Amino acid sequence: MIFKKKPIVAFPPKDFYRLDHKMYVATDCIILGYDSNNLKLLLFQRNLEPFKGEWSLIGTFVHLDESLEEASERVLEQTTGLTNIFMEQTFTYGGLKRDPGYRCVSIVRYALIRLDEHDTKLAKEYHAKWFSLDELPNMILDHQQMINDALEILREKAKKQSIGFELLPKKFTLPQFRRLYESIYQKEIDPRNFRKKVLSLDILTKLEEKDKSNSKKGAFLYTFNALKYGKNFASKAGLDF
Amino acid sequence: MIFKKKPIVAFPPKDFYRLDHKMYVATDCIILGYDSNNLKLLLFQRNLEPFKGEWSLIGTFVHLDESLEEASERVLEQTTGLTNIFMEQTFTYGGLKRDPGYRCVSIVRYALIRLDEHDTKLAKEYHAKWFSLDELPNMILDHQQMINDALEILREKAKKQSIGFELLPKKFTLPQFRRLYESIYQKEIDPRNFRKKVLSLDILTKLEEKDKSNSKKGAFLYTFNALKYGKNFASKAGLDF
DNA sequence: GCAAAAGTGTTAATCTTACACCCATGT
DNA sequence: ACATGGGTGTAAGATTAACACTTTTGC
């Protein structure tokens, strides 16, 4: 066993390329979407042992001929039909007993998708269901932990990066945008302060149209200005509330 | 190949536990210490092929009977003699071609150590050398990228968490503390503003002693107050400059 | 006595927070 | 006409940024 009892001066040690160190490498995918003023998560009900019938993130083994990114993008496309989606790595989970019976390391990435664009037929085929974050079912293994960690990273990201671009539909209202942030931070945000801060970032284009699905008066629709977006973020204060 | 051509409705797919997906899992260790007003990194010169003579982070394969954390702590102890050190995972690198000839995924963790406490004999045995961040040599594979990513995460952490506790000697001066932050952020920090902010966190104990190694007048030594430290961080503003 | 680093306070600017009323519309 | 959510402005408080001089001491 290398390095185990006393220092081995050789670097790398002689048994560096031992075959019996190989293990399973998986990737699990945290698919987040925003709908009805709630941040939602796509979970899958397993229809095979082990853990048949229980809820789980969807994952896959990483193939020898694909990168980690390709593996998780493959999962995302197979379950939502979407490609070219923002995804970001969170952590890698490799506890000795995280999976019973065999040793498996899992790299987690989360994806932010526009719910109105994904293929709902695929979700059905996979026995998948969207859950609000506050009513998640029990999940197998360490999947709840993976989700908690990812949400923490997402909250940090949301402070600096807007997030709305990835999660909101192309056209959206400011109240909608605000409720997205409320559901990410799990707290109320003053509407006036939110407006002020978002508009001061100068990343939105106001449209003529109104969306009246949420009120009689209707709220003006906006789009992200792709040019200003990105440019105007590094410098400014961000969206911390 | 699973999920490759068209969706497979079964979840998990039938070939979920195929053996030929196994691969090498390694961990690479970014060992950071602070000395002479510089943040430094411990690198190793390989004395075996491949890449003999080139500089590299130190890593190891993760054994089947140890967790990811245990593996990187094993490396850290073997090369510095230190245990119970702060370490944090950054990212996992799993590109198809990151290592020539065989497929290997590597989980990176960084460690913050007190340079005055580590075992320098071990470092010599391992052909290791401390480098200032601004004079790093060329490194093998994607190790430079790993370091860049880790430093970015470290900077974020430093804004909220002080970092000094892990990197400074038990007794230290405020100018020393400030220069640590200057070397992390790679910019000058106003001494008056730094003092004000650090002292307002109320995590330090001022000692009677002075350290005169850096000036004739001498600077008062401080220690971290372990009780207040930790408690006083969540609430307050942190150390962003 | 002088060079070199340590120590100390104030002010202006910016950002954050809290807060209350009118508007437009569908029913 | 009224209920509902959309839209707007201001003032107090907190935080950050900029800035210059005195102190101590080894040489």
Side-chain angles (χ1 to χ4, degrees), chain A residues 99-111:
Chain A
D99 213 323
Y102 61 97
R103 182 69 193 280
C104 180
V105 165
S106 180
I107 295 104
V108 175
R109 295 181 86 209
Y110 72 92

Side-chain angles (χ1 to χ4, degrees), chain A residues 87-147:
Chain A
M87 293 188 85
E88 187 172 53
Q89 196 185 119
T90 63
F91 294 111
T92 296
Y93 299 79
L96 216 49
K97 295 171 190 164
R98 59 177 297 276
D99 213 323
Y102 61 97
R103 182 69 193 280
C104 180
V105 165
S106 180
I107 295 104
V108 175
R109 295 181 86 209
Y110 72 92
L112 303 180
I113 74 170
R114 292 175 169 150
L115 268 187
D116 60 343
E117 291 179 355
H118 90 293
D119 184 339
T120 54
K121 265 185 299 179
L122 287 175
K124 266 187 198 159
E125 288 175 7
Y126 278 94
H127 303 275
K129 194 181 155 192
W130 287 96
F131 286 89
S132 280
L133 292 182
D134 50 8
E135 43 191 40
L136 293 178
N138 283 329
M139 277 164 281
I140 65 168
L141 306 176
D142 44 9
H143 287 195
Q144 180 69 57
Q145 184 63 45
M146 290 174 172
I147 292 165

